[in-house]
């Protein structure tokens, strides 16, 4: 009996569907459009409360993302010097909040299948975009990492990748330096992360080194005393001869070469060049005053055999 009732219901449902299909086939194009619009209108009215709630969720999420972005930027401003990097971190935090609000809104609209499709599509799209922008993303992540490094900051004098200069900016994808000759060097952040860096800005004291040579006839003890005294008399931070290191290095081709070095308060490479230049000047003046010779290479050409001139008879035309 129950089986017969179920068959009767199925037959009735099939007949109703067939009748509806036949009715639609007999409708004109205008009537079909109006019927579809009416169906959409009914769906809109039915889902209007859910849509209102979803819209409110999106609006609230937008304002929360703005607040989160500003808050995150304030939190990292003491650790990140670059404004561009702080803005990037704030935007990433805001984007996370907005994505979360979007998923909540879709769940309110009962669009769980859409949410799953978006998540699956985002995974595939992220993989494709990551492979396509591998170099750019690498430089960007390196820039973010550099901004968090406490031992590298704007204003430091550094040497890296064969260049030496002052850091004037650490952007998301490039590292900008100004050399002593005022030339600007732009290096991708990835190269900065992959290569060693010498940071002169970590200490205010640098070593000034001067290389020179004196003639073989010179009194080497006297040369050492004169050179040290010249540094003491002209550099106010050098108080005694013990602060100046003096070492003879080698017997050169035309001179006995030495190295003089001392520490001085220097904050960048340009000041180091200035102090090195000043040390060379005062040492040269002191040597000239004491009659100490700073030789330069001389090459002597000696001919043991006299050149013989031979007359060649002129050829008659």
């Amino acid at each position: 009996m129950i089986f017969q009732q179920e068959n009767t219901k199925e037959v009735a449902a099939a007949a109703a569907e067939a009748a509806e299909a036949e009715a639609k086939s007999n409708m004109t194009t205008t009537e079909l459009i109006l019927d579809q619009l009416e169906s959409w209108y009914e769906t809109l009215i039915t889902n209007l409360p859910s849509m209102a709630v979803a819209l409110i969720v999106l609006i609230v999420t937008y304002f929360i993302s703005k607040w989160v972005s500003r808050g995150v930027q304030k939190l990292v401003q003491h650790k990140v010097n670059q404004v561009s990097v702080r803005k990037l971190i704030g935007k990433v935090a805001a984007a996370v909040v907005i994505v979360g609000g979007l998923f909540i809104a879709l769940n309110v609209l009962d669009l769980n299948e859409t949410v799953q499709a978006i998540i699956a599509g985002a995974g595939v799209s992220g993989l494709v975009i990551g492979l396509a922008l591998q170099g750019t993303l690498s430089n960007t992540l390196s820039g973010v990492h550099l901004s968090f490094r406490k031992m590298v900051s704007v204003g430091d004098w550094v040497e890296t990748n064969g260049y030496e200069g002052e850091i004037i900016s650490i952007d998301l994808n490039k590292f900008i330096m100004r050399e002593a000759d005022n030339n600007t060097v732009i290096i991708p952040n990835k190269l900065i992360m992959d290569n060693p860096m010498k940071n002169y800005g970590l200490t205010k004291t640098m070593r000034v080194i001067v290389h020179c040579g004196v003639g073989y006839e010179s009194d080497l003890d006297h040369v050492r005393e004169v050179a040290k005294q010249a540094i003491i008399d002209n550099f106010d931070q050098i108080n005694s001869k013990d602060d100046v290191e003096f070492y003879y290095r080698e017997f050169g081709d035309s001179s006995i070469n030495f190295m003089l070095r001392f520490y001085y308060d220097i904050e960048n490479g340009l000041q180091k060049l200035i102090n090195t230049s000043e040390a060379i000047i005062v040492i040269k003046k002191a040597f000239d005053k004491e009659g100490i010779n700073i030789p330069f290479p001389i090459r002597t050409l000696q001919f043991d055999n006299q050149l013989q001139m031979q007359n060649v008879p002129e050829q008659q035309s």
Side-chain angles (χ1 to χ4, degrees):
M1 192 69 177
I2 296 175
F3 180 73
Q4 291 179 353
Q5 290 179 354
E6 290 181 354
N7 288 337
T8 303
K9 290 180 180 179
E10 291 178 358
V11 171
E17 290 179 359
E20 184 178 357
E22 183 178 359
K24 286 185 177 181
S25 63
N26 296 328
M27 294 173 62
T28 63
T29 304
T30 303
E31 291 174 343
L32 288 173
I33 294 175
L34 292 176
D35 184 68
Q36 185 65 42
L37 291 176
E38 184 180 357
S39 175
W40 288 349
Y41 176 75
E42 292 176 354
T43 303
L44 177 63
I45 295 300
T46 304
N47 295 326
L48 190 60
S50 300
M51 294 177 63
V53 173
L55 181 61
I56 293 174
V57 169
L58 291 178
I59 294 174
V60 172
T61 301
Y62 173 78
F63 287 104
I64 291 177
S65 67
K66 292 290 185 182
W67 179 79
V68 170
S69 177
R70 290 194 296 268
V72 170
Q73 292 184 47
K74 289 181 180 180
L75 287 175
V76 301
Q77 66 181 356
H78 298 294
K79 296 184 178 181
V80 181
N81 296 323
Q82 289 303 107
V83 177
S84 59
V85 177
R86 293 203 298 266
K87 289 183 178 179
L88 174 65
I89 297 174
K91 289 180 179 178
V92 170
V96 172
V97 174
I98 290 176
V99 170
L102 179 61
F103 285 160
I104 293 174
L106 292 175
N107 285 325
V108 169
L109 294 173
D110 197 18
L111 298 175
N112 295 327
E113 295 182 358
T114 305
V115 173
Q116 295 175 1
I118 291 175
I119 294 175
V124 176
S125 300
L127 179 60
V128 173
I129 294 173
L131 293 175
L133 302 177
Q134 185 176 2
T136 303
L137 292 176
S138 177
N139 285 324
T140 301
L141 293 176
S142 298
V144 174
H145 188 196
L146 285 172
S147 299
F148 281 98
R149 275 191 174 183
K150 295 182 179 180
M151 303 182 71
V152 180
S153 59
V154 175
D156 290 348
W157 192 276
V158 300
E159 180 180 348
T160 181
N161 289 275
Y163 299 97
E164 181 179 348
E166 179 186 0
I167 303 174
I168 60 176
S169 179
I170 304 175
D171 295 338
L172 291 178
N173 59 347
K174 58 184 179 295
F175 188 91
I176 305 176
M177 298 167 50
R178 181 182 290 117
E179 295 183 300
D181 56 3
N182 206 34
N183 285 328
T184 301
V185 181
I186 301 175
I187 306 174
N189 287 330
K190 184 176 183 299
L191 295 179
I192 301 297
M193 295 297 299
D194 292 342
N195 292 281
M197 175 188 296
K198 182 187 292 186
N199 191 346
Y200 296 99
L202 297 179
T203 175
K204 293 184 177 180
T205 302
M206 291 189 190
R207 175 176 280 172
V208 178
I209 303 175
V210 176
H211 297 275
C212 188
V214 295
Y216 276 87
E217 74 283 357
S218 303
D219 183 347
L220 299 185
D221 291 332
H222 181 60
V223 169
R224 179 172 54 198
E225 295 299 319
V226 171
K228 285 188 174 184
Q229 192 62 45
I231 300 299
I232 294 173
D233 294 341
N234 292 275
F235 289 85
D236 54 0
Q237 296 179 17
I238 307 301
N239 300 318
S240 66
K241 293 182 180 180
D242 293 335
D243 296 333
V244 182
E245 300 179 29
F246 187 100
Y247 304 102
Y248 286 106
R249 301 294 300 276
E250 62 180 353
F251 292 97
D253 294 337
S254 58
S255 63
I256 298 178
N257 300 323
F258 68 85
M259 176 183 66
L260 181 145
R261 62 188 186 184
F262 59 93
Y263 284 100
Y264 208 73
D265 289 347
I266 301 172
E267 296 183 356
N268 55 58
L270 181 59
Q271 292 182 1
K272 181 179 180 181
L273 291 175
I274 294 173
N275 282 274
T276 302
S277 176
E278 185 64 24
I280 292 174
I281 292 173
V282 299
I283 290 174
K284 177 64 167 59
K285 288 181 177 179
F287 283 3
D288 290 343
K289 184 178 179 180
E290 295 293 328
I292 298 174
N293 178 35
I294 301 178
F296 53 88
I298 299 175
R299 177 172 294 177
T300 302
L301 300 179
Q302 181 177 351
F303 298 96
D304 294 333
N305 298 326
Q306 295 183 355
L307 297 177
Q308 296 180 358
M309 304 297 295
Q310 182 177 1
N311 295 328
V312 179
E314 297 181 357
Q315 296 182 356
Q316 297 180 355
S317 59

